[in-house]
Amino acid sequence: MNTSVLSSHPSSPNPTAAPRPLGEWVPPADAPRAARAALALLRRLRQGTLELQWPDGTTGRCGSGEGPRASLVLRDWRACTRALKSGDIGFAEGYIEGWWTTPDLAALMRLLVVNRDAIDTLVYGHWWGRAWYRLRHWLRRNSRAQARRNIHAHYDLGNAFYQLWLDPSMNYSSAWFDGDAARSLEQAQHAKVQRALRECALAPGQRLLEIGCGWGALAETAAAQFGVHVTGVTLSTEQLAFARERLARQGLAARADLRLQDYRDIDDGAFDAVCSIEMFEAVGREYWPAYFEALRRQLKPGGRACIQTITIRDDLFDRYVHSTDFIQQYIFPGGLLPSRQAFVEQVRRAGLELVGEFAFGADYAETLRRWRHRFLDQEPQVRALGFDDRFLRIWEFYLAYCEAAFEAGNTDVVQFTLRRPA
């Protein structure tokens, strides 16, 4: 794996000085108050072991002394201040600015996630430190006009960028390995798509609506293998151009109507089935009723829908929904994860039936692990597209952050199968 983004910084705490347990360790005299507060939090670690190096080279160790293990090299005291003020957003910003580094970002994320209850302030920060971020998140909620800008911010970075590290199927959602670690990412992505389409109970000649058609992977499979006509909508101009060309190249253009359109504006009459793969996270809580109303309106009586979405643990949802995090600020503006309970409640309120659900969060951890390795391996090519150190650090943090959340079970991914009553 290419890790040259990090190679200009120390890769591990100073090997010449044996790290001392934090209980016996006093920070340097010039350490600011925030560093001492961070130290007090780190002394609470109970699972795993963290080795830490301060800017002056002194080192310490905290945790159980056993695995999982990680290390962090602090290069600038401001990282402590930012993290205590703004939680995971500030912690990420310290990494983006180069104020701290680590030889294994994914390992560090895993260690922090499993200790999240012990280091609560480093996860959530202080209310005043996140006030601007909460306002910014609210201002980017997914109204019709803002939704297009939010999608453009992430998905229109350029098809060439995503082609560097996604598999050839161009699926940007969790793959499904079905217990077979030997499966290639492309095979696992294809298995995920086929499962979702099978859940829709499609028959040749029927009409399928795809909300969030991406680069056309599901539309191609539905048209070619299931023999249905696909209407797909997206708000990404880059994805739409790629998807249209893809289906035309396969001789499937006559079986697909792919459009630049908001799901709220679809007015085509009823469809036999609806499929949506990891688009629901971008809807926004205030628009959830409109989304489910669109599902009900577009489905024929008796029709089925398969909605694949990331979920957050039920017990984490209330605090999450009243806050904001790194992903919402830097990766998916306007987005919000449902909890399973919140999703099911919206299904019930819309008058739809939940007829099946399949969770495979461990597969998302593996998907993200493979994406992260591919992304780092392609660093020279990413730079050649005009992206800089800051961009590379944001994206590496994003992929490692999500990988750790799925591995720990804080987040999951679920295919929900719904039915409109006959």
Side-chain angles (χ1 to χ4, degrees):
M1 186 189 347
N2 187 325
T3 57
S4 59
V5 173
L6 307 177
S7 62
S8 60
H9 305 303
S11 60
S12 60
N14 185 356
T16 62
R20 287 175 287 171
L22 287 188
E24 305 170 4
W25 180 40
V26 177
D30 63 343
R33 181 183 302 175
R36 298 174 188 277
L39 171 59
L41 286 170
L42 292 175
R43 282 181 172 140
R44 300 179 186 175
L45 294 181
R46 293 295 178 266
Q47 299 184 57
T49 305
L50 174 67
E51 294 190 1
L52 178 67
Q53 179 175 300
W54 290 122
D56 69 347
T58 59
T59 59
R61 177 183 295 139
C62 58
S64 67
E66 300 176 351
R69 296 179 178 274
S71 61
L72 186 153
V73 178
L74 187 67
R75 298 174 56 82
D76 192 308
W77 295 118
R78 287 177 291 179
C80 297
T81 304
R82 187 72 65 88
L84 288 170
K85 177 182 176 182
S86 306
D88 72 315
I89 301 171
F91 184 65
E93 289 173 341
Y95 184 72
I96 294 165
E97 296 296 333
W99 294 344
W100 64 267
T101 188
T102 175
D104 189 339
L105 185 57
L108 179 61
M109 292 294 100
R110 286 193 294 271
L111 178 64
L112 297 178
V113 166
V114 298
N115 284 282
R116 62 174 296 136
D117 291 338
I119 55 171
D120 182 85
T121 304
L122 289 177
V123 176
Y124 294 104
H126 295 287
W127 70 267
W128 49 266
R130 295 172 80 100
W132 156 243
Y133 294 106
R134 288 196 297 273
L135 174 61
R136 185 169 181 246
H137 180 54
W138 182 83
L139 291 171
R140 297 193 295 182
R141 64 196 185 280
N142 281 300
S143 63
R144 278 177 169 81
Q146 186 61 40
R148 188 164 295 188
R149 289 191 287 269
N150 288 342
I151 293 299
H152 175 76
H154 187 83
Y155 291 97
D156 289 341
L157 291 170
N159 294 332
F161 166 68
Y162 288 99
Q163 284 177 290
L164 286 176
W165 54 276
L166 293 180
D167 71 277
S169 75
M170 292 295 283
N171 273 284
Y172 187 29
S173 53
S174 180
W176 176 41
F177 295 91
D178 194 19
D180 183 3
R183 275 187 177 179
S184 70
L185 187 54
E186 185 174 14
Q187 290 170 330
Q189 291 287 11
H190 190 59
K192 175 271 304 291
V193 168
Q194 287 194 316
R195 188 190 187 283
L197 291 171
R198 288 196 302 270
E199 287 296 295
C200 290
L202 295 165
Q206 289 186 330
R207 298 175 66 220
L208 170 70
L209 171 64
E210 184 182 7
I211 300 177
C213 60
W215 287 282
L218 186 141
E220 179 183 350
T221 301
Q225 297 184 24
F226 288 76
V228 300
H229 185 277
V230 184
T231 296
V233 298
T234 179
L235 293 178
S236 167
T237 54
E238 291 272 342
Q239 288 185 325
L240 180 63
F242 186 100
R244 283 176 170 172
E245 181 183 346
R246 174 185 194 151
L247 269 71
R249 192 168 56 247
Q250 298 298 322
L252 299 169
R255 296 188 190 177
D257 176 16
L258 307 183
R259 314 169 184 167
L260 192 70
Q261 186 177 35
D262 192 292
Y263 70 92
R264 289 164 284 203
D265 297 328
I266 303 168
D267 188 21
D268 289 46
F271 290 85
D272 298 287
V274 178
C275 204
S276 186
I277 305 295
E278 292 182 32
M279 176 273 176
F280 185 73
E281 303 89 336
V283 170
R285 192 183 191 191
E286 53 268 70
Y287 302 104
W288 286 353
Y291 177 90
F292 281 99
E293 173 53 33
L295 284 184
R296 181 179 174 83
R297 185 176 67 250
Q298 296 303 328
L299 273 175
K300 291 180 180 179
R304 290 162 68 104
C306 183
I307 312 300
Q308 179 172 314
T309 182
I310 299 169
T311 62
I312 189 168
R313 243 172 48 199
D314 283 329
D315 62 304
L316 300 176
F317 180 70
D318 284 344
R319 190 165 186 180
Y320 163 75
V321 81
H322 292 105
S323 184
T324 182
D325 65 5
F326 161 75
I327 296 294
Q328 292 166 327
Q329 293 297 318
Y330 281 88
I331 306 298
F332 294 111
L336 186 121
L337 303 181
S339 66
R340 179 197 173 276
Q341 182 179 343
F343 186 94
V344 171
E345 176 61 19
Q346 291 294 323
V347 172
R348 185 192 63 79
R349 289 183 181 181
L352 298 169
E353 298 172 349
L354 177 63
V355 297
E357 57 184 294
F358 174 66
F360 53 112
D363 294 70
Y364 218 152
E366 178 61 23
T367 301
L368 284 153
R369 187 174 300 112
R370 297 193 191 194
W371 282 347
R372 180 172 55 83
H373 288 186
R374 292 164 70 100
F375 177 78
L376 292 173
D377 286 342
Q378 294 295 322
E379 181 188 325
Q381 290 75 16
V382 173
R383 290 183 184 279
L385 292 175
F387 297 108
D388 60 10
D389 275 357
R390 179 180 176 83
F391 178 88
L392 287 160
R393 287 178 177 276
I394 289 172
W395 273 73
E396 187 192 6
F397 193 96
Y398 152 54
L399 294 170
Y401 179 100
C402 293
E403 178 186 327
F406 281 102
E407 190 168 313
N410 286 2
T411 52
D412 205 343
V413 63
V414 185
Q415 285 188 353
F416 291 99
T417 306
L418 316 179
R419 180 179 177 272
R420 177 176 174 176

